[in-house]
Amino acid sequence: MKLIISNHKMNLTKGEVEQYVKDLEEIESDKNRLVFCPSFPYIPYFTGKNYKLGSQNVAERTMGALTGEVSIEQLKSLGVEYSIVGHSERRNLLKEENETIRKKVVLCLENGIYPILCIGEKEEELHCKEQVLKEEIDSVFENLEYAENVIIAYEPIWAIGTGKTPTNSEIDNSITWIKQYIKDRYRVDCPVLYGGSVNEKNIDTLSEIEVLDGYLIGGTSLKVSLLNQIIKKLEG
Ligand code: PGA
């Protein structure tokens, strides 16, 4: 089973989402699990039985006065089961720090929501990639309860939305390293996904990477027809 997470980011308007959700009715995925992370206002539109719901973020505090944020209780009440945490766009553009990301991961785990923790290096950090990944992992995993429920998304930042992807052996090495590091240091096995310019053309190649547990898909997930091509290829 592979996890196929669609991250819509800040895309699609009401009418487009209505059509998107209708088109999703045609999608079949027996072997893999589909998760959709729409923009917050559209979460209630995703009522299909053939997929799960995720959010793109969650507030670091549980309730009360935090203008513009969405709480974990609100997400749970909408049937959300997964939450992306620490996406590089939030880390870099919105200056989200490791400390905040840890709080969000803890909150998810305490509330039975699977956090999808995004980690990955910038292009200029390629020479010290493992150090970057270590810091992003350690700042969250140190003394973390229920750590086995964390899903890691390895997303090289230079591959996000650029059409560039690492080679299969580079991805394989990174994923294998992440899994081994977490197992050795924290004694847990976490699934690790790959994200960054996954599309209907490169999925055949990417699917040869056996250590991968799934994919986090941004741009290509905005068109149900393209996403469906990916799903069909992964169904085999
Ligand atoms: P992309 O985005 O597939 O458009 O590269 C991936 C992501 O940021 O989650």
Side-chain angles (χ1 to χ4, degrees), residues 121-130 132 154 156 158:
E121 78 287 351
K122 296 183 181 137
E123 195 152 30
E124 63 271 23
E125 292 169 336
L126 268 169
H127 65 283
C128 57
K129 176 169 73 180
E130 289 177 4
V132 173
Y154 169 60
W158 51 275

Side-chain angles (χ1 to χ4, degrees), residues 7 9 87 89 155 159-162 195-198 216-220:
N7 175 13
K9 309 195 181 188
H87 191 281
E89 286 150 15
E155 300 204 292
I160 296 177
T162 58
S197 296
V198 176
L216 180 49
I217 310 174
T220 304

